[in-house]
Amino acid sequence: RWIRHPRYFNQLSSGLNIIGLAGEWLTATANTNMFTYEIAPVFIVMEEILLKKMYEIIGWDESEADGIFSPGGSISNLYSVLVARYKRYPEIKTKGMAALPDIVLFVSEHSHYSVKKAAAVLGIGMDNVIAIKCDERGKMIPSELEGNILKVKRQGKVPLYVSATAGTTVYGAFDPLTNIADICQKYNLWMHVDAAWGGGLLLSRRHAHKLSGIERANSVTWNPHKLMGVPLQCSAFLVHEKGLLQACNQLCAGYLFQPDKQYDTAYDTGDKSIQCGRHVDVFKLWLMWRAKGTQGFEILINRFLELTEYLYKQLKKRKHYELVFDAEPELTNVCFWYIPPSLQKIPRGSERERRLHQVIAPKIKARMIEEGTTMVSYQPHGNNVNFFRMVFSNSATKKSDIDFLLEEIERLGKDL
């Protein structure tokens, strides 16, 4: 019930699209698998069509690109490390990590934890993932990236891969993709763009410029189950080199991928995947895209950004709220503190910070859950104590719901 409620702001995925739900029902009814064309012909063709559409939107030639739908953005990001490593060191597939030098990955300090987890899963090791310093807005600082690449080279290690973020989880920040692409080109690093959250902005002519430079990436993660409102799960991993996914993951199991089938076996996509069984995640997206069109998604996403601007302006006007950083939102994330009357006259310092961190946000959130009226997440981040993070990804949310949230936070927290 909560996740479709217009006042549920807790996660990046929320709301319920009825057409997407119908697609999910029909997918379950078909109850098939995505590994071979012979058992999922329509779904495999749909996947190819939509992946080509996504390549085009990014700015890639469809004849040069490849991709696959995966079980969420964390797995898509894992694919990016997997193929980047295979591209540089194809011997990894047979000989393992012992045959490789020490390789290093670079992420922003505001990046999603999934790249670090991928390093642990793939045997690279979390100590070989370097977090690059960000500016106060949460964007990776290019000079810091270049300095760390040079430092790694001096240590005799191999800088392999950079993950830039287009829409960070907490601040909703966009790393400077063009500058990062220049550095990756200069030092021959694989450039991945984690656009799991912010990729949907590519569908908006008003906001797509925030991802300028994404066309220069070697790979991209894009989650339609976030900003585009597709029911969970729906994540695409896209790579700007055809054949690389297949070469990296192919094992040619004889009981599935017979080369003498009576159709073009290029449609058997199962060997591009690290999975065997693969859920049909594409049909609900295809159905929604047919129903809405690209323009329909654009209208939806523009509306989310308009709601974000409304919240930002409301917070600036209300005396009991402080913004974590005073800059217009780039995505739908808005980060703020509620300052109850008891803290209004307490000067900034350790006591005020302690109470904001230990009392205000946690207790208001607990009361929200008890009351069942609304839900919004909170977290600390860097040197900032617990603050609320609002996001918009629910098509049912209206300005009145934003007004309700702010008034409800005040009602629940005024005695703290």
Side-chain angles (χ1 to χ4, degrees):
R1 181 178 74 87
W2 259 118
I3 213 160
R4 67 177 185 268
H5 197 286
R7 292 172 183 167
Y8 175 86
F9 308 108
N10 208 66
Q11 308 301 143
L12 304 186
S13 304
S14 67
L16 181 66
N17 181 276
I18 297 302
I19 294 166
L21 178 62
E24 194 72 273
W25 282 346
L26 289 166
T27 296
T29 303
N31 192 31
T32 192
N33 201 315
M34 287 292 283
F35 46 51
T36 61
Y37 177 82
E38 62 192 348
I39 65 165
V42 174
F43 294 142
I44 281 180
V45 171
M46 282 178 176
E47 184 173 70
E48 182 181 43
I49 290 167
L50 280 183
L51 287 170
K52 286 180 177 179
K53 182 68 175 174
M54 296 169 94
Y55 309 149
E56 176 193 329
I57 290 167
I58 287 170
W60 294 345
D61 186 328
E62 67 175 53
S63 66
E64 299 174 350
D66 204 352
I68 200 162
F69 280 82
S70 81
S74 291
I75 302 298
S76 291
N77 286 342
L78 184 145
Y79 271 117
S80 72
V81 179
L82 187 69
V83 297
R85 184 177 64 176
Y86 178 82
K87 172 70 175 174
R88 178 80 68 92
Y89 300 107
E91 63 269 25
I92 182 67
K93 188 171 177 179
T94 53
K95 300 186 184 304
M97 284 296 291
L100 270 59
D102 289 335
I103 58 178
V104 178
L105 317 178
F106 301 89
V107 298
S108 95
E109 61 183 356
H110 285 231
S111 67
H112 194 263
Y113 66 85
S114 54
V115 175
K116 188 173 279 191
K117 184 172 281 191
V121 170
L122 296 173
I124 294 168
M126 294 190 298
D127 287 349
N128 290 314
V129 181
I130 295 178
I132 304 301
K133 189 177 177 182
C134 293
D135 63 21
E136 62 181 17
R137 182 62 187 81
K139 299 171 181 286
M140 186 192 290
I141 301 171
S143 60
E144 290 282 337
L145 172 62
E146 186 165 21
N148 275 276
I149 290 170
L150 292 171
K151 181 180 178 182
V152 162
K153 288 169 76 74
R154 287 195 298 270
Q155 292 170 344
K157 298 181 180 181
V158 178
L160 177 75
Y161 162 107
V162 176
S163 178
T165 309
T168 57
T169 306
V170 180
Y171 283 4
F174 290 82
D175 288 336
L177 301 183
T178 298
N179 293 343
I180 292 169
D182 289 341
I183 292 168
C184 288
Q185 185 175 346
K186 181 177 179 180
Y187 295 102
N188 191 31
L189 273 71
W190 182 280
M191 179 182 172
H192 176 65
V193 176
D194 179 1
W197 178 216
L201 291 195
L202 289 168
L203 301 172
S204 166
R205 285 165 290 186
R206 192 183 303 167
H207 298 287
H209 67 91
K210 295 170 186 176
L211 293 95
S212 178
I214 194 171
E215 72 282 353
R216 296 177 62 187
N218 298 102
S219 58
V220 173
T221 291
W222 180 353
N223 286 9
H225 70 228
K226 289 190 167 77
L227 206 56
M228 293 170 70
V230 178
L232 286 157
Q233 63 194 12
C234 189
S235 175
F237 172 68
L238 312 164
V239 59
H240 198 189
E241 182 175 334
K242 206 169 190 68
L244 191 57
L245 263 175
Q246 188 87 5
C248 180
N249 297 315
Q250 186 176 46
L251 286 177
C252 302
Y255 59 89
L256 281 178
F257 307 113
Q258 303 90 346
D260 54 354
K261 289 179 179 179
Q262 300 305 300
Y263 60 83
D264 182 358
T265 56
Y267 286 102
D268 287 352
T269 58
D271 240 5
K272 291 197 296 187
S273 169
I274 56 176
Q275 303 162 252
C276 178
R278 188 162 66 93
H279 187 262
V280 178
D281 292 328
V282 70
F283 182 53
K284 57 200 170 189
L285 173 59
W286 183 88
L287 206 60
M288 284 179 65
W289 215 316
R290 289 287 293 176
K292 285 178 175 290
T294 302
Q295 187 178 14
F297 279 122
E298 180 179 32
I299 291 167
L300 176 71
I301 289 162
N302 286 346
R303 188 169 163 274
F304 289 151
L305 272 293
E306 287 161 10
L307 290 171
T308 306
E309 185 179 6
Y310 176 78
L311 171 61
Y312 170 71
K313 289 179 177 176
Q314 286 295 310
L315 289 168
K316 285 179 73 71
K317 286 196 296 189
R318 298 186 182 223
K319 69 174 185 177
H320 291 296
Y321 291 95
E322 286 183 14
L323 290 157
V324 173
F325 51 87
D326 190 3
E328 289 196 12
E330 292 187 303
L331 198 44
T332 77
N333 308 50
V334 183
C335 300
F336 61 91
W337 289 285
Y338 169 66
I339 313 296
S342 68
L343 295 186
Q344 289 286 325
K345 294 182 180 178
I346 295 180
R348 293 177 182 274
S350 58
E351 176 58 19
R352 185 177 186 266
E353 301 286 284
R354 183 191 67 78
R355 288 174 65 181
L356 281 172
H357 187 71
Q358 295 180 4
V359 179
I360 308 305
K363 288 202 172 180
I364 290 174
K365 176 68 177 283
R367 290 176 179 182
M368 277 181 187
I369 293 171
E370 289 168 7
E371 296 269 347
T373 52
T374 186
M375 194 183 293
V376 62
S377 74
Y378 72 85
Q379 64 279 299
H381 202 53
N383 295 324
N384 290 317
V385 297
N386 278 327
F387 55 85
F388 291 109
R389 180 209 64 178
M390 268 286 287
V391 288
F392 296 97
S393 59
N394 186 339
S395 59
T397 301
K398 302 186 289 291
K399 288 182 180 178
S400 58
D401 297 308
I402 298 170
D403 295 333
F404 176 87
L405 172 77
L406 298 180
E407 287 156 13
E408 186 70 352
I409 287 174
E410 292 188 33
R411 184 181 75 84
L412 296 172
K414 62 186 177 184
D415 66 332
L416 295 173

